[in-house]
Structures are given as structure tokens and as C-alpha cells.
Amino acid sequence: MKALVKSRDSRGLWLEDVKEPEIGINDVKIRVLKAGICGTDLHIYDWDDWAQKTIKVPLVIGHEFVGEIVEVGSNVSDFHRGELVSGEGHVVCGRCRNCLAGRRHLCAHTKGVGVNRPGAFAEYIVLPMTNIWKHDPKINREVAAIFDPFGNAVHTALSFPVLGEDVLITGAGPIGVMAAAVARHSGARHIVITDLNPYRLALAEKVGVTLAVDPRKTSLPDVQKKLGMHEGFDVGMEMSGSPVAFRDMLANMSHGAKIAMLGIPSSEMAIDWHRVIFSMLTLKGIYGREMYETWYKMTVMLESGLDISPVITHRFAYTDFEQGFEVMRSGNSGKVILNWQ
Ligand code: NAD
Ligand code: ZN
């Protein structure tokens, strides 16, 4: 089959013919229809320090996808040929304390699809049946292809109640923009999103934020004044990984505010802990999606009118993957989809 392979210990990604993955008795084999490019894929392409430490070449990469089941293992009775599905990108051990307690997203031995095991930038992918999420066949297939990052957005946005609250999101990347849409759907009052990139601020405006601001031009205290806010934001979602953005967020939260942190800083970052302590802030780290409550929430919010489709801005055939990676790298994109049909 054709696949995008990190086959060499250097910068780049290569379209190659590789063996189709073999299916075990508890597995499901899926023909990939569409896949999303993630920032992680970009790190692997660019072969940065993290990628060099983490990836064992050769590896088929990619983890955001939608596809159609073509075969199921002999133990599998809940899934059938022809069903439209996505895969949860973390394969968990099933035996650690958290897995046994049903908190699979907290597994101590999780393996990443397209990071630690073969991924979805391929004609076929095989996953354990416990990682399969079945879609309504009527779902928008591009939206289904990005359930993985949509899940990051939903996991973060629903970490703390937002009904009636003033929400600050730092970073209007695809995930920040989807989180803004979720906060709107969930009844937040003001939703302010920050970014330095005008393309992304414009994208955020399409999903109904109250204000999309470049903090270098409009400070957050000015934003608060403009909106008639007096005590700071109630809920923060850090989605930039930027220490500058995070410190700015901390300085503009209300006493007792809650912050969910998804953005991954590139190194250690110092903050004013007095702010956290004396304002009694709650900081919560977010990783992946809850298995499978986040998937359930994604599905039912789409069914009740949430629209995240504006975040998908580019589509390419898989053979043109270089263009897809290039537009991602430029920052002038939302989600980029590769077609595998
Ligand atoms: P992205 O890199 O596309 O978006 C980050 C955005 O932050 C960019 O648009 C960038 O311009 C903006 N930004 C940079 N500096 C800023 C500043 N000072 N103020 C405001 N905005 C600033 O990433 P994404 O795909 O949307 O993901 C968001 C973050 O979440 C990334 O850090 C990513 O690594 C991380 N992530 C975490 C998980 C997890 O499980 N924890 C999963 C996926 C992604
Ligand atoms: Zn486990």
C-alpha cells in the first residue's frame, strides 16, 4: 500500500510502498478515506529534538483520520465491514491502575498512533477494537477526519463549566478556534481569543467569538474594559504553548478562576506563582481526549448544532502532501486535510 513514511533519520517524509498492516484477532482494519495533518506530524517531518528522541524509523505517521472498515478480527463482534469510523490515537495498556478504573486517558503506558506505532497516513490502518469510534454515516467526513484534535478542543473546553462565564483562549490555532466554538455552543458569555497571526484571528471570528485580538495591539486589560468586565476572566484555555501568552492569561484571570492547559511549551516556563496562590487559581493539564466521554460529547454536540467546519481550510490529495505540510508550516491555515481515496 501507499503510505507516508518517516523512513530516514533526517528531515522530511517520504511517500513509499509498504506492506499492508496485519490484523490480529481483536483488531479492526480500516481503509483510510481522509486524514488531518497535526502539529505533531510537522515536528516529525522537521525532525526536531522531540521527534529524534521519540520516533523509531521507519514509521508510518499520522493519527487524525476517518475511514471505512474493511475487515475485523475473529474476536470482534461490535464492528462490521463498511462502517465509517475514526480511531482514538492513544492505545492504552488496559492493565494499569487507571485503565482498570475506567480512566483510560490516564493510562501510564499509552502508545501513540503514528508516534509509537504505525499511523494513518496510509491506505490502511489496523487498530485494536477498543480504539474504534463509529460515526453516523451522515456525518461530514472532513469533520469526522479531525475528531482527534476536535477532541483535544472539547476535552479542554468542557474541563470547567463555561455557562454564563467569561472565557479567555490564548492561541487561535485550529484547536483554539474549535474550543471557542465549543465554548460558544456551551453558553459562555464573552469569549476572547488571542493570537499574533491575523489569518488565525480572522478564522476565529468565523466561529462566533466575542473578540479576536492581537495582544500586542490591544491589551487584555483594555479588552476587559471594552467588554465591561471588572474582575477578570473566569475560565482560561491555554492553547498556544507560549509563555508570554500564559503569563498574560494569569494576569487577567478573576480570583478563583480555572485554567485548562493544552498548549505545549517548548521548554520549562517561569510564572508568577503568587498570582496562582493568592488568586486561588486552578490549573489543569490536558492531554488527549477522555475515552470515551469526550468522543460522546463531540458526537452529540455536532448533532445539536455545533459547527466546526470553518476550521477546515485546505484539502490536498495525499500525493501532494508536501503542499499540505507547507501550508501548515506557513501558519496561514486552519486544519489541512489529505484525501486518501
Ligand atoms: P498551533 O501551533 O496551530 O496553534 C498555536 C497558536 O498559538 C498559533 O496560531 C500561534 O500563532 C499562537 N500563538 C503563538 N504565540 C502566541 C501568543 N504570544 N499569544 C497568542 N497566541 C500565540 O497548534 P494547535 O494545533 O491549534 O494546538 C494548540 C496547542 O496545543 C499547541 O501548543 C499544541 O502543541 C498543543 N497540543 C496539545 C495536545 C495535548 O494533548 N496536550 C494535543 C494537541 C495539540
Ligand atoms: Zn493503562
Side-chain angles (χ1 to χ4, degrees):
M1 65 172 185
K2 299 283 183 204
L4 294 179
V5 192
K6 186 77 197 180
S7 51
R8 284 164 243 174
D9 190 358
S10 62
R11 186 173 184 277
L13 190 62
W14 296 276
L15 181 57
E16 295 182 353
D17 281 302
V18 301
K19 246 181 88 218
E20 281 184 28
E22 277 170 24
I23 181 169
I25 57 170
N26 293 314
D27 293 338
V28 172
K29 183 172 178 182
I30 302 153
R31 188 162 69 86
V32 176
L33 300 173
K34 293 175 188 296
I37 305 179
C38 171
T40 304
D41 305 321
L42 216 55
H43 289 295
I44 297 173
Y45 186 114
D46 291 341
W47 210 227
D48 62 11
D49 289 347
W50 170 83
Q52 292 187 33
K53 266 187 268 161
T54 313
I55 307 293
K56 290 201 174 61
V57 296
L59 182 75
V60 174
I61 73 159
H63 54 277
E64 305 176 356
F65 75 97
V66 65
E68 197 178 86
I69 297 180
V70 290
E71 193 184 341
V72 299
S74 57
N75 255 357
V76 179
S77 52
D78 295 335
F79 299 104
H80 305 95
R81 264 181 85 104
E83 286 172 342
L84 191 72
V85 297
S86 289
E88 160 58 47
H90 290 130
V91 177
V92 300
C93 75
R95 296 306 307 164
C96 71
R97 174 187 173 175
N98 281 314
C99 279
L100 288 173
R103 299 182 294 258
R104 287 184 276 178
H105 59 292
L106 295 175
C107 175
H109 310 290
T110 184
K111 295 259 180 297
V113 174
V115 175
N116 312 115
R117 53 176 285 149
F121 289 167
E123 289 179 281
Y124 297 97
I125 182 172
V126 163
L127 285 173
M129 61 175 152
T130 46
N131 276 62
I132 306 296
W133 184 261
K134 203 188 304 187
H135 292 293
D136 182 324
K138 291 194 295 292
I139 194 171
N140 174 333
R141 288 187 177 193
E142 291 188 340
V143 167
I146 58 165
F147 257 46
D148 178 293
F150 176 31
N152 296 136
V154 167
H155 187 182
T156 313
L158 299 186
S159 274
F160 300 111
V162 297
L163 177 63
E165 304 287 27
D166 294 333
V167 174
L168 174 62
I169 302 173
T170 43
I175 302 182
V177 172
M178 287 190 278
V182 173
R184 182 50 82 217
H185 189 77
S186 310
R189 180 173 71 158
H190 297 315
I191 302 167
V192 174
I193 192 164
T194 65
D195 206 292
L196 312 177
N197 174 339
Y199 181 98
R200 289 194 155 177
L201 291 172
L203 195 60
E205 279 170 353
K206 292 192 184 154
V207 301
V209 296
T210 314
L211 281 176
V213 297
D214 181 335
R216 295 167 304 184
K217 295 181 185 148
T218 316
S219 73
L220 290 176
D222 283 345
V223 165
Q224 290 197 50
K225 259 186 234 139
K226 204 163 164 180
L227 296 176
M229 291 171 52
H230 303 292
E231 299 188 3
F233 291 91
D234 308 299
V235 176
M237 302 176 198
E238 205 310 291
M239 304 213 153
S240 72
S242 157
V244 177
F246 182 45
R247 289 186 200 114
D248 207 15
M249 172 179 273
L250 285 173
N252 284 277
M253 302 306 292
S254 65
H255 286 214
K258 317 267 192 282
I259 299 179
M261 302 189 59
L262 184 89
I264 304 171
S266 55
S267 56
E268 287 182 14
M269 66 179 167
I271 59 167
D272 177 4
W273 282 97
H274 285 212
R275 187 71 204 160
V276 176
I277 294 158
F278 293 115
S279 298
M280 289 184 277
L281 304 181
T282 301
L283 309 183
K284 181 185 178 197
I286 309 285
Y287 182 51
R289 297 144 297 279
E290 286 187 6
M291 294 169 218
Y292 278 82
E293 186 62 7
T294 305
W295 291 79
Y296 177 84
K297 294 279 192 181
M298 287 189 262
T299 302
V300 296
M301 283 193 288
L302 291 175
E303 288 174 4
S304 60
L306 173 66
D307 182 14
I308 55 155
S309 61
V311 82
I312 301 163
T313 56
H314 294 75
R315 293 107 181 135
F316 297 96
Y318 72 91
T319 45
D320 295 329
F321 72 94
E322 292 283 8
Q323 288 177 49
F325 276 78
E326 208 36 61
V327 74
M328 280 278 293
R329 201 170 282 115
S330 76
N332 292 332
S333 73
K335 285 308 299 183
V336 178
I337 302 272
L338 295 178
N339 278 310
W340 282 85
Q341 274 146 307

